[in-house]
Amino acid sequence: MIQPLPASANAPFTWLMGDLAMQSNNLSFQLVMEWRSWQGQRLKLLFILTCFALLCALLTLILQLGHQLFSAPPTWTKPTGYLYTLARQHGDGRLAPLHRQAIDTAADMPGIQAAAWFSLHTTNVRLGSEPQQDLRTLFYSDSFSRVLGVEELAVNETPGVWLSERYWRERLRSNPDVAGQLLSHNSFPISLPIAGVLPASLNRIGAFQPDIWLSDHWYRYLTPFSVDSEVMLDRFLQAAPFYYGILATSQPLHAEALTEHLRQQDLTVPGMRMGGDGSELMVHTGLNLDPPARLKLLQQWQLGLVLLLGFGLVLSLNTFTVFTSRLIQQQENYRIQQVLGASMLQLLRGPLLVAVILIAATAVLSSLLSLGLLQLLHSDSLQSTVGEAGLPLDWPRWLAALALVALLLFGCTCLPVLRFSQQALFSRQTGQSRSRSQKWLAQLNLTAQLWVALVALAFMLGLSWQQWQQFRSYPLDTGLLALPVQQSATGFDFSALVQNNVPQVQAAEVAFEVGSFDSQNSNELNDDRLAGPLAIQQRIVSGNYFSRLQVPLLQGDDDWHGGVVINQTLAQQLAAGTDQPLLGSELNLGSFAGRHPIVAIVADIPHHGFSQSAQPTAYLHHQSAAMLVQFSRSLELYFPAEHQARLKPAFMAWLEQQLTAPEFLPVQSLAARLQQQDQESRQLLRFSSGMILLVLLTVFFSLYYQVRNRILLERQEYGVLLALGASDGRLLARAASQPLLALLLTLPLALAALAWLLHSSGWLSAFALQFNPMIFAFAAILLLLMAWIAALAPITGLLKKPIFGLLRTH
């Protein structure tokens, strides 16, 4: 008589039979089984987990930056409607202030509910017991608080001055008793009490970092006109280009149409004529006080989005490949489960469990990575756009990013099992060659990954080449030291320095510039050789400025005693409108700077960093700009670093005798100054390089595992080839045929993608990159080498195995 098997004999199979035994619901048992099944591949699993956590964190960052760029106001504002910025704009994107007449005209237009404005000036004041000092002062209108929702600046009956948190912390050492102290100015009729310290979020307003905030009412005492001359004073304040306007509406408006309408209006003030600086009136959507920084942040967002999409695609395909290969290796177990009647849910139990564990671990790790990335993300462009406080973690957007990552993980882990369950039982066994559909799927998977890698690598190499050319295109002695000097009065006398009458100093050792190396001194150039007014940079320098900085003159004599020297960029624009030589012709720099002959053309100097394009610049000899020198309050001296111990004390002793209360700022090399200006570009390049390396590493692992798994499945065929005497090269070519074919298919697809991305309307058009065939070919060769190495490693291991072991079926 046949006896039934004891329960213990069925124990190993009961977890396959659904609810027939308790083991089917034993979560710890399933976790142990899954953990053991990943033996030898746990490092791969950790890599996938880390990459998905990084993907979730980067996606959160991209979502938050996009929200700030396209819809959200800066963090320091709380507007109730839509905001628009009204100012003048230079050709390079920098904003310039405009006159009140334009703001008042815009405020009277239909749809504009309210208008506010502010201006920025340097005022010489005495604050409490502090010595008299120059402070960056922001004068705000009475409607500023209401329009922007800054409650601290609400108009009070008692006049007062507000301190920025940065100034209070850095200069006043967080003095808790500062409230109530008095601020005095020689032109103010009374001393103003300190009302308090503003929140840290107001430390930065666009590109501006004010020290103190005052009501616009007090600026009336700082003009050239007496407050008793109300008519002339009001006209001056209406016509002077001091203000940045902010318009508030309840409904969205078209900024372009508003700009054109205002440009057509008569915005002149009778009896007042102010000089121009080459800028044009412009209305920007939102509170956009630093368009270049916003554009740079937009470039970073676009680049990050493209890299993130590429990284996400490669990672998803790689993960899908890993779980497909895992399924092929464990297909006999799945067939047994199907024979025993396992349902679809029971087949998916293992992959679902892995997906849930990966999602939970990704949630924990990505939240930490998101917080860390937002703490590290404190670029100048971000602070100019959203405020100095930066971006806090937006948990709803983090949840949205996590949901997308969870969807990808569920798809990558479960889709292979769903495809497998649709096949007929016993259609194939381990050891047989893969079906044609599986081969084509693997080929498409690999082609997509190599396509992303080739596009990303070609763009990154092009961007690196562009920056390398920029860094090599400027002849400049960056090892020179710069000593910035400021004074409370105005005017400089350089005669003693030029005539070698400063003790311990030779005139040839030092060059100087009125202002600073990286200052913005805009002027409007009106010349018949130009198509229209041109905004240029105007600088006042010493006669040996170019020789000391080792910048070559392209035309003209190094012995420079007067006149104006123009840079190569300005010379090209002037030469385009005439066939006459530029040297010897006159350049009209306006009523203040006057007319001067062009005596030389100099190579472009990177005053604003190597990563910035050169601006048209005119260099005035200090003797030809005597009047402008007498109204200047800052100076910068340049000298070799090896003579600092001798020259710096000599300069300080000479200037202390000549200037009124001079302030000597820390000495800094030109290299450090330029590196600071290029910091964001370098950070962007490092971030892009890191993402590209991560994509390449992911693609390499995918190549390696796909080739290895293919060799495992076709090991009998390799064994037959070895038995027939096939050479190692033929085996290697067979193993590398799949990635090489994928790379061949990738080339036209990558060319099309790059053409679209770099087009004038493409996502990466802001980088102004031109397609370079040599760089594209170099990127393709790098991927070819990577594919060859990925195929070489598994073949090397295969050749070490005995032939009879490869010929066995199991």
Side-chain angles (χ1 to χ4, degrees), residues 330-460:
Q330 298 181 352
Q331 61 180 326
E332 287 188 352
N333 293 336
Y334 281 96
R335 292 301 186 198
I336 293 174
Q337 294 181 49
Q338 284 184 310
V339 170
L340 294 177
S343 65
M344 178 65 68
L345 181 60
Q346 290 168 335
L347 291 176
L348 290 174
R349 184 173 298 166
L352 284 174
L353 182 62
V354 174
V356 170
I357 294 174
L358 287 176
I359 292 169
T362 298
V364 176
L365 186 56
S366 66
S367 62
L368 298 177
L369 286 174
S370 299
L371 291 171
L373 286 175
L374 290 174
Q375 289 296 323
L376 295 175
L377 191 66
H378 285 292
S379 66
D380 187 72
S381 297
L382 177 67
Q383 293 181 2
S384 294
T385 305
V386 306
E388 191 173 87
L391 287 176
L393 180 58
D394 190 338
W395 291 104
R397 285 179 172 77
W398 174 80
L399 288 174
L402 182 62
L404 180 59
V405 169
L407 185 63
L408 291 176
L409 281 171
F410 278 126
C412 292
T413 55
C414 297
L415 281 179
V417 177
L418 292 175
R419 291 182 60 254
F420 179 83
S421 64
Q422 296 175 358
Q423 299 177 2
L425 285 173
F426 312 114
S427 61
R428 58 189 303 277
Q429 297 178 4
T430 302
Q432 293 180 337
S433 298
R434 295 178 297 175
S435 65
R436 181 173 298 179
S437 62
Q438 289 176 322
K439 288 184 177 180
W440 277 109
L441 180 62
Q443 193 70 44
L444 290 175
N445 186 331
L446 194 56
T447 302
Q449 295 186 56
L450 289 176
W451 170 65
V452 173
L454 182 56
V455 171
L457 185 60
F459 171 76
M460 192 60 224

Side-chain angles (χ1 to χ4, degrees), residues 166-187:
R166 176 192 51 79
Y167 175 78
W168 174 69
R169 171 172 35 87
E170 295 178 357
R171 298 291 295 270
L172 301 181
R173 297 174 294 279
S174 303
N175 182 4
D177 301 324
V178 70
Q181 296 186 21
L182 298 179
L183 177 140
S184 59
H185 189 280
N186 293 335
S187 299

Side-chain angles (χ1 to χ4, degrees), residues 316-327:
S316 300
L317 294 175
N318 190 18
T319 305
F320 179 79
T321 301
V322 168
F323 280 92
T324 300
S325 301
R326 174 180 166 83
L327 175 66

Side-chain angles (χ1 to χ4, degrees), residues 490-801:
T490 59
F492 296 98
D493 183 5
F494 301 112
S495 57
L497 179 61
V498 173
Q499 297 170 9
N500 282 320
N501 291 332
V502 178
Q504 303 295 322
V505 177
Q506 295 294 322
E509 294 180 312
V510 58
F512 58 84
E513 177 174 354
V514 177
S516 65
F517 182 81
D518 53 357
S519 60
Q520 295 277 4
N521 307 295
S522 298
N523 190 10
E524 182 177 84
L525 178 62
N526 292 279
D527 195 284
D528 294 336
R529 291 165 289 190
L530 299 172
L534 177 67
I536 67 170
Q537 293 293 303
Q538 180 176 289
R539 299 181 176 276
I540 303 173
V541 299
S542 60
N544 65 338
Y545 183 80
F546 305 113
S547 60
R548 179 68 275 177
L549 269 62
Q550 298 184 10
V551 180
L553 293 179
L554 305 180
Q555 296 182 34
D557 193 353
D558 288 337
D559 188 13
W560 182 39
H561 298 287
V564 62
V565 175
I566 60 175
N567 71 341
Q568 187 176 4
T569 299
L570 179 56
Q572 291 172 350
Q573 299 193 38
L574 290 172
T578 181
D579 55 358
Q580 299 297 319
L582 297 179
L583 294 188
S585 63
E586 283 195 338
L587 200 65
N588 185 5
L589 297 176
S591 57
F592 290 101
R595 303 175 66 93
H596 303 278
I598 300 176
V599 297
I601 299 175
V602 69
D604 292 331
I605 300 177
H607 289 284
H608 306 293
F610 292 107
S611 59
Q612 304 295 322
S613 57
Q615 299 180 20
T617 307
Y619 298 90
L620 274 169
H621 194 281
H622 68 94
Q623 293 181 352
S624 300
M627 184 178 69
L628 295 176
V629 171
Q630 294 308 311
F631 286 100
S632 302
R633 304 174 66 178
S634 60
L635 167 71
E636 206 160 71
L637 301 164
Y638 309 104
F639 53 89
E642 58 267 22
H643 302 315
Q644 179 181 2
R646 171 174 57 87
L647 293 177
K648 183 180 177 181
F651 292 143
M652 296 177 67
W654 166 57
L655 293 172
E656 283 176 349
Q657 295 178 357
Q658 181 189 143
L659 304 182
T660 302
E663 179 182 2
F664 300 95
L665 301 180
V667 174
Q668 191 178 28
S669 68
L670 291 182
R673 184 84 61 84
L674 294 171
Q675 185 176 6
Q676 184 177 3
Q677 296 190 61
D678 292 324
Q679 183 178 3
E680 282 197 56
S681 298
R682 295 176 185 273
Q683 289 176 349
L684 178 63
L685 188 62
R686 285 193 291 267
F687 167 74
S688 304
S689 302
M691 291 298 298
I692 297 301
L693 290 177
L694 192 58
V695 169
L696 292 179
L697 185 63
T698 306
V699 171
F700 176 79
F701 276 115
S702 179
L703 285 171
Y704 172 78
Y705 283 116
Q706 286 197 45
V707 172
R708 191 193 69 170
N709 291 332
R710 182 181 181 183
I711 291 175
L712 289 176
L713 291 173
E714 299 178 353
R715 62 184 182 277
Q716 286 183 311
E717 299 177 19
Y718 282 96
V720 171
L721 291 174
L722 283 173
L724 295 176
S727 64
D728 295 349
R730 181 179 177 184
L731 297 178
L732 178 59
R734 177 185 174 89
S737 61
Q738 184 184 19
L740 293 180
L741 177 59
L743 183 59
L744 185 63
L745 296 173
T746 294
L747 294 177
L749 298 176
L751 283 172
L754 279 173
W756 176 76
L757 289 172
L758 299 179
H759 190 261
S760 58
S761 60
W763 278 6
L764 300 177
S765 59
F767 290 91
L769 279 179
Q770 299 294 327
F771 176 75
N772 191 324
M774 298 299 295
I775 292 179
F776 183 80
F778 181 67
I781 292 173
L782 286 181
L783 283 182
L784 176 64
L785 292 176
M786 188 174 67
W788 194 260
I789 295 173
L792 181 62
I795 283 294
T796 303
L798 180 74
L799 295 177
K800 295 180 181 179
K801 296 182 179 180

Side-chain angles (χ1 to χ4, degrees), residues 86-87 95-98 103 116-118 120 208 242-246 289:
L86 176 59
L95 289 188
L98 78 170
I103 301 175
W117 60 85
F118 68 92
L120 294 117
F208 316 116
F242 293 154
Y243 304 95
Y244 296 88
I246 303 168
L289 298 174

